[in-house]
Amino acid sequence: MSVVIDESLQKAPLTATPAELKRMLQIIREEIFPVTVQGVADGNKVFGAAILDKDFVTTCVETNRETTCPLFHGEVHAIYQWSKIVEPSQRGPLAQSANFLATHEPCCMCVSSILWSGFQKVFYFFPYSVTTAQGIPHDVRTMHELWGVPTYRKQNRYLSTACIMDLIEELPEGSEKEELLKLQKELSADYDRLSNKYHTEKVDNKDNSLVLA
């Protein structure tokens, strides 16, 4: 049985202004990264997420907490905490107008959770290639092992995703792009150091019994 995909139902590709891109990088650096530092100290991975309203104002920030529950990747944990502060009757409408921000491209579980929660616009900083280079290849491997594909469809009838690095690269040359590239480089270095810390300490952390560590 073949599945017919109606391309006309796909969400449009995501775009962001230089100001919006700068805002998201600042949220990662000033709001997500600090809680992730503590999360890594407790034996968790380096993945964090934030839920922003339509104006890119932060509603909820969380990080990976797999030592609390194996399902608590940064994105799932953020959705869980967000659902506790948003009335059930408002979750659908607010999710549909919100911007979901992840530090790393969501894995198959996380992108599915984002979809089921109603979020339609998903931005992430690091693509799968960088996540793999940081020593965590499971995002790509699980996608291949479960469904035999290298990735999900970036634009589909439910949501659109976009890599912040790609959006910065697509900007015209000028001072705005230079500033964003500088922020990008600084953040990348911060996360490289934090990733090294996680991998160095996870073996000796008694609470880190993760199968996919």
Side-chain angles (χ1 to χ4, degrees):
M1 177 181 177
S2 62
V3 177
V4 177
I5 298 173
D6 188 344
E7 302 289 346
S8 67
L9 296 176
Q10 289 187 23
K11 299 293 183 186
L14 281 183
T15 60
T17 66
E20 290 168 343
L21 292 170
K22 181 179 179 180
R23 168 66 179 154
M24 287 189 281
L25 293 182
Q26 289 174 331
I27 290 170
I28 293 173
R29 182 174 64 181
E30 299 169 9
E31 300 182 48
I32 301 177
F33 188 77
V35 297
T36 300
V37 169
Q38 182 57 56
V40 169
D42 295 334
N44 299 283
K45 295 192 185 80
V46 298
F47 308 138
I51 296 172
L52 320 176
D53 69 13
K54 60 183 178 63
D55 297 316
F56 291 84
V57 175
T58 307
T59 301
C60 179
V61 172
E62 270 304 341
T63 191
N64 183 291
R65 284 290 176 187
E66 288 175 294
T67 56
T68 299
C69 172
L71 299 182
F72 278 173
H73 290 196
E75 299 92 327
V76 173
H77 197 201
I79 293 170
Y80 175 71
Q81 297 296 344
W82 174 83
S83 70
K84 294 200 287 188
I85 62 175
V86 177
E87 292 293 329
S89 62
Q90 293 301 308
R91 289 176 192 157
L94 288 178
Q96 289 178 324
S97 64
N99 294 284
F100 198 101
L101 173 62
T103 57
H104 296 68
E105 187 168 6
C107 71
C108 55
M109 177 181 74
C110 290
V111 75
S112 297
S113 300
I114 292 167
L115 181 158
W116 280 104
S117 301
F119 296 97
Q120 298 179 351
K121 294 178 289 185
V122 184
F123 296 93
Y124 58 88
F125 184 52
F126 294 111
Y128 284 152
S129 58
V130 175
T131 307
T132 299
Q134 289 176 339
I136 304 177
H138 311 302
D139 297 341
V140 176
R141 285 181 181 172
T142 53
M143 201 86 64
H144 172 73
E145 293 295 332
L146 288 171
W147 298 296
V149 297
T151 187
Y152 58 92
R153 290 161 58 87
K154 310 299 182 182
Q155 281 84 46
N156 55 71
R157 69 186 300 168
Y158 299 107
L159 52 77
S160 286
T161 70
C163 177
I164 292 174
M165 289 184 177
D166 290 342
L167 295 177
I168 293 173
E169 184 59 32
E170 292 168 3
L171 292 174
E173 299 300 324
S175 58
E176 289 180 320
K177 183 174 182 177
E178 289 176 4
E179 180 184 13
L180 291 171
L181 287 173
K182 181 175 182 292
L183 288 172
Q184 175 180 305
K185 183 178 180 180
E186 292 171 351
L187 266 179
S188 296
D190 287 341
Y191 273 93
D192 281 344
R193 287 190 291 270
L194 197 58
S195 179
N196 288 335
K197 177 179 173 62
Y198 167 76
H199 288 294
T200 301
E201 299 178 358
K202 68 180 180 182
V203 176
D204 296 323
N205 190 313
K206 63 180 178 59
D207 293 324
N208 189 330
S209 63
L210 301 171
V211 176
L212 303 181

